[in-house]
Amino acid sequence: MSGPATSGATIPAGSEPKAALRHRLAERGVDRTLLLVLPAALAVIALFCYPFLYGLQLSFQPAKGGALGAYRQFFSEPFSRKSIWATFSLALPASLINVGVSVPISYRMRREFRGKRLLLALLVVPITLGTVLTAEGILEFYGPAGWFNRTLHLLGLADSPMHLTMNYTGVLLSLIISGFPFAYLLTHSYLSGIHPSLEKAASTLGAGWWQRFRYITFPLLLPGLLTTFSLCFVLAFAVFPSAMMVGDPNGSTHVISIEAYQAALERFDYAQGSADAMIMTALMLVVLVAVAVLRSRLYRGSTGGKG
Amino acid sequence: MSASVHAADSTAGSGPAPATGPAPGATARRRGGLALRPGTWLTWAVLAFFFVNLLGVIGTVLVDSLGSRWFASWLPSGWTGHWYSDAWKEFSLGQVLGTTVEVTFLVVLLSLVLAVPASYALARRDFPGKKLLTTLFVLPILVPPIAYGIPMATVLYKFHLAGSLTGVVLANLVPSIPFVIFTMTPFIEQVDPKIEAAARMCGASTWTVLTRILAPLLLPGILAAGILVLVRTFGMFELTFLTAGPTSQTLIVALFSAVNSAGIRSTQSIDAMAVLYTGTMAVLLLVALRFVNPTQLVTRSSD
């Protein structure tokens, strides 16, 4: 069933036009092997595209207010409108911090050293902890009686416990704990794709470390960094469990995913919930497209990669 | 803050200094030796601070689940294991774990069956519309799970599948299929098509090529992809949360519900459940790391 169609030669002369067509298609890569794509493509269409389009048309059929009623409702209500600001004010700083801190660290650690594999393996741990467990741990570790505040108190750095949970800071912390390893691993692998000989060449011409970083490594790294930023942003933009658990879900961390969830599954207003989900997707795609446009203006040639 | 500096001290002192590595550039730059420069210090300090906090976050949960009473002190007043049996009974964890295993294995199996053939075709053929197809497979990874989970839950309610095991499995297939495709395609690209051609020339049928040539060569890749989907599905919160009913909850959703509806429940038994979750995840992770190198993996899935 999977063999490449090796037809053409054995086909009788009577069916020549058909055979020729098949031959021409096979030359462009269309043959029976392509049928193997079908199951997965159909599954994604049925399980992803259809529900998404269903949600899209549902969002134009709210109970009241005409076709655009649900969208008007979202933007006229200050509480829901502010969720856009809440989302961006969490996602942008979180992804900027994660990517920004990863660059110097992975630049320092780009060479091989003993225990590097262990370090990389340790960094995978927070990714797999999942947001729920991270949130649970943050609640207790950074809480008023947690170890973090105890340490601060012991060292005389704070008189009264710092309020790090149930507010904006808690959610930002959880985004950093789960997002930083991800950003670091990505930056690290992009950086290891830049051949060290490029920097050495600059070194022979008398460039200092800052010049080498600024004019050689950084421009080559920048496209990868933008991709990393996009992926981090996607993760942070969809923050949901930690915003509910360590945040202040009805105040400063009332992010757009909470707004959509509450509309759809607490108030059972599916039209409004779908509209919120569509607004969320649109906002995220705007940011991703902006980053992609920025990325397409950068140098995209070879980085002399070794791997 | 100064706790972290202290920790960084010990890490940098006992740990390996970057300059001692066997890398090509190392010998030329060995002017520092162990007397590290401030930049290196800062790097280690930031990393150590991160790990100290991470350890604190995990440690707090672990200690709390084993302590008898813990209010305003560094450590609990006594140690006990009964929160685990409490949690087991209180949250009917036996049933939850059964569901989790069932969901995860069904998702792994189905996504492999659906996606491995597709990745073969994508790796071997270049055809018009390939970009469009790739976009179709990228979208479920890019769009946040909550954003498509809500319309999907509505559709599942329409077909009376929401709340059932089938619904949860179907929902989890959406991110898993593209994930398998993007993990498997580079694996298949590495297999030289000439091997297949040679087998065919020696008279092998399609079935023989599939079972004797491709399957043994692709088995490591399939295993890696399967384990990664296993880990992801085990930790997938949003989609399962939106589509699961009371009897089809996985462990992570049960954990979230326990925390969020906590009234009279003791935090300790919730933490016991969290530790069970982390323990299972750690075992899965160790198994996964035997098969895949994290950096390689990231390079693959991002390009």
Side-chain angles (χ1 to χ4, degrees):
Chain A
M1 57 163 185
S2 74
T6 48
S7 56
T10 54
I11 286 180
S15 57
E16 206 162 74
K18 201 178 152 209
L21 177 69
R22 207 203 266 183
H23 210 94
R24 280 211 307 276
L25 281 176
E27 231 148 52
R28 300 191 61 190
V30 181
D31 58 26
R32 278 183 301 166
T33 311
L34 219 53
L35 290 178
L36 292 175
V37 179
L38 274 185
L42 287 181
V44 171
I45 288 171
L47 294 171
F48 176 76
C49 300
Y50 169 67
F52 202 82
L53 293 176
Y54 178 81
L56 187 64
Q57 61 94 19
L58 195 66
S59 71
F60 292 117
Q61 296 170 358
K64 55 182 192 306
L68 290 172
Y71 293 93
R72 214 174 289 136
Q73 171 74 21
F74 179 87
F75 286 106
S76 62
E77 177 93 40
F79 186 57
S80 50
R81 193 176 54 219
K82 270 189 202 143
S83 69
I84 296 182
W85 166 245
T87 314
F88 275 98
S89 65
L90 272 172
L92 277 180
S95 19
L96 283 177
I97 291 173
N98 286 340
V99 178
V101 173
S102 305
V103 175
I105 294 187
S106 46
Y107 187 67
R108 282 274 158 206
M109 308 221 161
R110 67 194 183 287
R111 275 177 248 105
E112 286 297 320
F113 56 89
R114 210 149 36 93
K116 186 167 181 175
R117 210 179 137 81
L118 180 73
L119 181 81
L120 293 178
L122 278 178
L123 277 169
V124 186
V125 172
I127 300 180
T128 56
L129 282 183
T131 38
V132 176
L133 187 105
T134 317
E136 175 75 13
I138 284 177
L139 270 185
E140 287 162 22
F141 180 69
Y142 295 101
W147 283 344
F148 190 79
N149 270 315
R150 287 187 167 278
T151 314
L152 288 188
H153 188 74
L154 192 75
L155 299 168
L157 289 172
D159 295 330
S160 55
M162 285 169 77
H163 292 285
L164 296 167
T165 55
M166 308 313 286
N167 56 15
Y168 175 85
T169 326
V171 184
L172 193 67
L173 278 174
S174 91
L175 285 177
I176 290 174
I177 288 190
S178 50
F180 166 69
F182 183 73
Y184 176 81
L185 288 178
L186 271 175
T187 315
H188 177 87
S189 63
Y190 278 117
L191 203 59
S192 59
I194 298 173
H195 204 278
S197 65
L198 295 173
E199 259 197 69
K200 275 191 216 150
S203 200
T204 60
L205 297 172
W209 74 268
W210 170 248
Q211 279 174 313
R212 290 200 302 271
F213 176 75
R214 173 69 189 82
Y215 296 105
I216 310 287
T217 313
F218 189 66
L220 290 174
L221 186 62
L222 200 53
L225 277 188
L226 287 178
T227 309
T228 312
F229 176 82
S230 308
L231 292 173
C232 283
F233 185 80
V234 169
L235 280 185
F237 191 78
V239 54
F240 178 71
S242 56
M244 294 273 274
M245 287 166 71
V246 282
D248 172 17
N250 291 317
S252 60
T253 69
H254 183 75
V255 292
I256 193 162
S257 53
I258 293 183
E259 172 70 26
Y261 165 74
Q262 285 177 344
L265 293 163
E266 282 181 4
R267 299 197 294 270
F268 295 103
D269 186 350
Y270 292 125
Q272 185 67 48
S274 302
D276 296 353
M278 296 304 143
I279 294 172
M280 181 175 171
T281 315
L283 287 175
M284 202 202 65
L285 287 181
V286 166
V287 174
L288 289 189
V289 167
V291 175
V293 167
L294 201 65
R295 190 174 187 272
S296 69
R297 299 169 68 104
L298 298 170
Y299 171 78
R300 280 161 57 189
S302 157
T303 53
K306 54 181 181 189
Chain B
M1 280 294 164
S2 78
S4 69
V5 176
H6 181 71
D9 188 353
S10 61
T11 321
S14 62
T20 54
T27 40
R29 318 170 100 254
R30 193 186 288 246
R31 51 187 155 154
L34 265 178
L36 301 170
R37 282 163 298 164
T40 320
W41 272 96
L42 199 68
T43 311
W44 282 107
V46 170
L47 268 184
F49 183 65
F50 180 78
F51 279 118
V52 164
N53 278 276
L54 183 66
L55 202 70
V57 165
I58 302 172
T60 319
V61 176
L62 187 66
V63 168
D64 196 30
S65 75
L66 287 169
S68 53
R69 277 160 146 254
W70 191 12
F71 289 117
S73 53
W74 280 95
L75 286 172
S77 51
W79 304 95
T80 170
H82 78 84
W83 298 114
Y84 285 85
S85 49
D86 281 9
W88 191 272
K89 280 187 235 114
E90 196 178 346
F91 305 110
S92 51
L93 281 187
Q95 190 241 328
V96 170
L97 275 178
T99 319
T100 312
V101 170
E102 213 173 328
V103 166
T104 336
F105 275 94
L106 276 175
V107 169
V108 170
L109 202 70
L110 283 175
S111 56
L112 284 181
V113 166
L114 288 170
V116 171
S119 34
Y120 178 80
L122 281 176
R124 283 284 187 261
R125 292 284 177 277
D126 207 3
F127 50 90
K130 189 175 178 179
K131 272 212 161 133
L132 194 73
L133 205 62
T134 317
T135 319
L136 176 74
F137 289 131
V138 171
L139 275 179
I141 295 183
L142 278 188
V143 178
I146 286 273
Y148 66 81
I150 287 172
M152 175 186 273
T154 339
V155 168
L156 288 176
Y157 273 110
K158 202 175 89 172
F159 290 110
H160 305 290
L161 284 170
S164 69
L165 202 74
T166 324
V168 174
V169 171
L170 286 178
N172 275 297
L173 276 181
V174 174
S176 305
I177 290 176
F179 192 74
V180 172
I181 289 182
F182 290 115
T183 326
M184 280 303 291
T185 311
F187 266 106
I188 298 178
E189 275 168 354
Q190 282 168 14
V191 177
D192 196 338
K194 279 181 191 146
I195 301 177
E196 286 164 59
R200 280 194 181 280
M201 210 193 70
C202 297
S205 65
T206 305
W207 178 248
T208 319
V209 171
L210 212 63
T211 51
R212 295 284 179 83
I213 311 288
L214 280 176
L217 283 173
L218 293 184
L219 203 62
I222 293 177
L223 267 179
I227 288 168
L228 290 172
V229 169
L230 189 85
V231 172
R232 267 178 74 103
T233 312
F234 190 77
M236 172 48 91
F237 170 73
E238 284 92 346
L239 285 175
T240 317
F241 176 63
L242 288 172
T243 51
T247 56
S248 53
Q249 283 187 343
T250 57
L251 191 53
I252 189 161
V253 176
L255 184 59
F256 177 80
S257 321
V259 177
N260 242 27
S261 59
I264 39 170
R265 287 182 176 126
S266 59
T267 35
Q268 278 103 332
S269 54
I270 293 176
D271 282 342
M273 176 150 69
V275 169
L276 284 181
Y277 170 81
T278 322
T280 324
M281 199 55 151
V283 171
L284 287 178
L285 184 72
L286 282 179
V287 175
L289 280 177
R290 287 202 66 81
F291 287 95
V292 257
N293 173 359
T295 28
Q296 231 178 14
L297 174 78
V298 176
T299 331
R300 278 194 182 129
S301 58
S302 65
D303 280 4

